[in-house]
Amino acid sequence: MIKNQNAQALIAAIAIMLVLALFSVVAMSLIGMQTSQTATGLSESTQAFYLAHAGLEWYMQQLAEDDDWSDEVAPAAQSLGSGTFEISLSNQSTDSIDVKSTGKILGPDARNRERWMSATIKREALVDYAVFWHQDGPGAQLTFSNSGSGTDVVGDMWSIGSANIGSNSSITGGKIYYAQGETVTGSGSYTAQVVPPPFPQIPSLDTTYYDDLMTDWNARIDAADSNISSGSGDLTLSSDVDWTGQNISRRDIDTNGFDITGTNFTVTCRSFNLENNSEIDSNASNFTINCNRDFNMTGNSQINADDYRINCSRNFLMSGTSNINSSDFELYLDDDFDSNGTVSITGYGYIVCSDIGQINLHDATTDSGTFTATPSGGSIYFLSGTDMTVNSTQNDTGVILNSGCFLYSRNPSGTTDTLTIRNEDTTIDGATIIAERRIIVEDGADITDSVLYVGYASSNSNNELSITDSSTTVTGTVISRGRNVPSLRINNSASVTGLVYQYDGVGTLGRAEVDGGSTITGALLVRQFDGNSFGPATVTYDEDSLPSPLPEGFQSSGVEIESGSWDGL
């Protein structure tokens, strides 16, 4: 494995070797061991080889400073000593790239001597342990649970403290490395190796990205607290209307099956009912609708407009067969966003509920149909001031959130607010899911290629991330900075693939509960296990299952050459 941090030293060494090679050529010529032409040719070929090697190492150092290799452009030829090296690239992705380095040096016959070497370069894995246990301070204890099928680790494990591995548990395909001064005991299957200080450190997490998101979203949630006065007199449409430039103030407005278009208009009302095949059409834009109570979309209604804001002092309801297909939309609600029926949102924009409001996507037992969100041209943000519930416990509702959705549950002052994702008919792909207080994924929900993040709340009560139930699957990154005990639960045969990280960043709070026959494929990094007990569970190290590129907040330690990819002439 070639590390980028050795590149500068290696290049200096190669420069010395080039000088020595030149001296060797002169000496060989003077003593007549071979003809001048033969000696020079051999030396120049060797120098070209060293140049190619130096070029590969030099370019690895450049890659180590770049977060995305998919748009890399080959640099101009670089001079080194009396020669040059040239870099060519192929098969580029975010964190893998094929690099060919060609070393060139001019011979006495004015012809270049060339040697090349190539390799596939990839980022070093964030961690190469299946389990990394890092309680601060000496004397920590951990017992592998022997109940059920026991606790199995496939790959290496780092143990900061003493571990007991019972007869029904094992560490296979690697060793348990433990801190000097501690012990590893038990009749299970394992190979142990003591490690003197300095000890490995848990990868650090820079929370700036998540903190900035929450700061921005909290400001939006604060702005959703509205106090709107309605006009007088109801308005029921009797034909299609163009409201361009108008300022309309009524009590209740019913579209009654007719369409609305126009730009730069404002509507103030008590309730707005978009119903019976009505549409705010694609020619409408740059408008504001203010509702003292509710905005209701029912009966195959549609909003196909762009660049608008709807403010409600109460609720926004999508039901029946209703659809939003809009760019740059904003729904700001003092109370709740609710959905029921066959409804969808496409485009990009914000759905924001105040610090007394909730987002409920098909959550009620009386709901039916499927809610689908498909971001296009940007992201769709679901920002709840309190609870958010994704799907019901019934088998006749579904929620599909496609790549590019952001979900957020804020906790302004209480300790019970939760972002709950449930039901085997819930499918979420490519999402960022954040809660200040608590996230629960349960009842067979399927989340793929996503980031789940629980922040460090103002108190430890209910501050945790939970993934539970046998058919529940999560793929991506799971981060709990919670303060509860436990602050991370993966149990009841739940399955997680990717990076699992439990560490509050302070080092005195939070625990992980990984048991109930759950499985983790990728890597598990924890500060401490709840009750000093681990399992029953199975954790398998798999570098290919770790998220790529690395999630926000983590940084790889360097780059390396993929095993078996080296080639050269």
Side-chain angles (χ1 to χ4, degrees):
M1 182 182 297
I2 298 177
K3 309 288 187 177
N4 71 295
Q5 57 262 41
N6 295 328
Q8 290 180 336
L10 181 59
I11 290 174
I14 289 170
I16 295 172
M17 293 169 72
L18 289 171
V19 173
L20 292 176
L22 180 59
F23 286 154
S24 174
V25 171
V26 174
M28 290 172 69
S29 176
L30 290 173
I31 65 176
M33 292 177 62
Q34 296 181 9
T35 66
S36 176
Q37 182 176 1
T38 302
T40 304
L42 176 62
S43 175
E44 285 150 1
S45 177
T46 302
Q47 291 179 66
F49 174 81
Y50 290 140
L51 283 164
H53 197 170
L56 189 61
E57 286 289 333
W58 174 83
Y59 195 65
M60 288 175 66
Q61 188 175 29
Q62 313 311 304
L63 291 174
E65 313 221 347
D66 190 352
D67 293 332
D68 183 358
W69 300 345
S70 62
D71 58 355
E72 283 289 314
V73 177
Q78 303 290 311
S79 297
L80 180 60
S82 57
T84 61
F85 58 79
E86 295 179 358
I87 301 296
S88 59
L89 310 173
S90 61
N91 299 325
Q92 297 173 229
S93 66
T94 300
D95 53 10
S96 178
I97 188 169
D98 290 348
V99 180
K100 181 179 180 181
S101 175
T102 302
K104 298 181 180 181
I105 194 161
L106 193 65
D109 55 1
R111 295 172 58 192
N112 273 325
R113 304 294 193 268
E114 295 187 10
R115 297 284 296 275
W116 62 268
M117 62 177 55
S118 66
T120 298
I121 311 301
K122 64 177 185 178
R123 296 192 194 280
E124 288 183 348
L126 179 70
V127 62
D128 50 10
Y129 294 94
V131 178
F132 193 105
W133 170 39
H134 182 76
Q135 174 165 326
D136 298 288
Q141 302 289 323
L142 181 63
T143 299
F144 280 49
S145 174
N146 240 6
S147 64
S149 58
T151 301
D152 299 309
V153 174
V154 182
D156 292 328
M157 174 175 174
W158 167 248
S159 175
I160 188 65
S162 295
N164 182 273
I165 304 172
S167 59
N168 208 24
S169 298
S170 67
I171 297 176
T172 59
K175 300 178 181 180
I176 178 169
Y177 295 88
Y178 66 99
Q180 183 176 312
E182 305 295 336
T183 61
V184 176
T185 59
S187 56
S189 175
Y190 61 89
T191 300
Q193 181 172 325
V194 65
V195 176
F199 302 132
Q201 298 296 306
I202 193 168
S204 62
L205 172 66
D206 181 354
T207 64
T208 301
Y209 169 78
Y210 306 98
D211 295 340
D212 288 348
L213 284 179
M214 290 189 286
T215 297
D216 175 70
W217 295 344
N218 288 340
R220 289 180 179 272
I221 288 170
D222 290 341
D225 186 3
S226 59
N227 185 11
I228 299 168
S229 300
S230 64
S232 61
D234 295 341
L235 172 63
T236 300
L237 298 186
S238 57
S239 64
D240 296 342
V241 295
D242 185 338
W243 284 345
T244 296
Q246 297 187 46
N247 190 345
I248 297 167
S249 180
R250 293 298 182 97
R251 191 174 67 170
D252 294 340
I253 296 177
D254 296 315
T255 57
N256 195 32
F258 295 99
D259 298 340
I260 298 169
T261 192
T263 60
N264 300 296
F265 63 85
T266 300
V267 175
T268 302
C269 61
R270 183 174 67 174
S271 295
F272 194 109
N273 300 307
L274 189 66
E275 57 188 4
N276 301 330
N277 296 301
S278 291
E279 175 189 7
I280 303 178
D281 71 19
S282 58
N283 293 317
S285 65
N286 194 26
F287 61 85
T288 301
I289 298 176
N290 300 305
C291 300
N292 173 259
R293 292 186 181 176
D294 304 327
F295 190 106
N296 300 304
M297 295 183 66
T298 62
N300 196 32
S301 59
Q302 300 183 59
I303 302 178
N304 293 316
D306 295 327
D307 188 19
Y308 59 86
R309 176 164 171 158
I310 297 175
N311 302 302
C312 296
S313 293
R314 292 190 182 176
N315 307 307
F316 191 107
L317 173 65
M318 296 182 70
S319 63
T321 304
S322 55
N323 304 284
I324 294 175
N325 184 5
S326 301
S327 299
D328 196 17
F329 68 87
E330 294 181 316
L331 311 181
Y332 278 77
L333 321 172
D334 205 4
D335 282 347
D336 301 343
F337 177 91
D338 288 284
S339 67
N340 176 27
T342 303
V343 301
S344 66
I345 300 177
T346 304
Y348 66 92
Y350 287 84
I351 299 171
V352 185
C353 295
S354 77
D355 58 11
I356 62 171
Q358 303 179 8
I359 292 180
N360 304 308
L361 305 181
H362 280 49
D363 73 309
T365 56
T366 55
D367 289 343
S368 62
T370 300
F371 177 92
T372 304
T374 305
S376 175
S379 298
I380 298 176
Y381 296 86
F382 299 86
L383 311 181
S384 175
T386 58
D387 292 336
M388 182 185 304
T389 305
V390 179
N391 216 338
S392 71
T393 57
Q394 306 299 107
N395 59 9
D396 59 349
T397 55
V399 174
I400 301 171
L401 303 182
N402 294 303
S403 181
C405 290
F406 286 76
L407 283 65
Y408 175 56
S409 170
R410 178 188 180 186
N411 173 257
S413 57
T415 59
T416 60
D417 298 330
T418 302
L419 197 165
T420 302
I421 301 170
R422 61 193 184 190
N423 198 316
E424 62 184 9
D425 290 320
T426 295
T427 302
I428 299 176
D429 178 63
T432 299
I433 303 166
I434 299 177
E436 280 194 14
R437 180 62 60 173
R438 188 180 189 188
I439 294 174
I440 299 175
V441 185
E442 62 184 3
D443 192 27
D446 180 22
I447 301 176
T448 58
D449 295 330
S450 298
V451 175
L452 284 69
Y453 178 93
V454 166
Y456 185 86
S458 57
S459 65
N460 63 349
S461 179
N462 208 36
N463 189 199
E464 66 179 79
L465 196 160
S466 174
I467 301 171
T468 185
D469 297 331
S470 60
S471 54
T472 301
T473 58
V474 174
T475 301
T477 302
V478 175
I479 302 171
S480 176
R481 297 189 62 239
R483 305 171 61 185
N484 196 33
V485 178
S487 58
L488 171 69
R489 302 175 195 255
I490 301 176
N491 55 23
N492 295 334
S493 300
S495 175
V496 179
T497 299
L499 175 65
V500 180
Y501 185 92
Q502 178 272 320
Y503 191 61
D504 56 40
V506 177
T508 58
L509 301 167
R511 299 284 192 276
E513 179 184 280
V514 181
D515 58 16
S518 56
T519 62
I520 297 173
T521 302
L524 170 65
L525 290 70
V526 301
R527 174 189 170 267
Q528 176 61 320
F529 291 90
D530 187 33
N532 300 325
S533 179
F534 173 29
T538 299
V539 181
T540 302
Y541 180 75
D542 181 18
E543 183 178 344
D544 291 338
S545 295
L546 296 176
S548 176
L550 287 175
E552 294 286 349
F554 291 106
Q555 185 172 357
S556 172
S557 57
V559 300
E560 64 185 11
I561 293 176
E562 186 175 283
S563 177
S565 70
W566 191 290
D567 196 8
L569 177 65

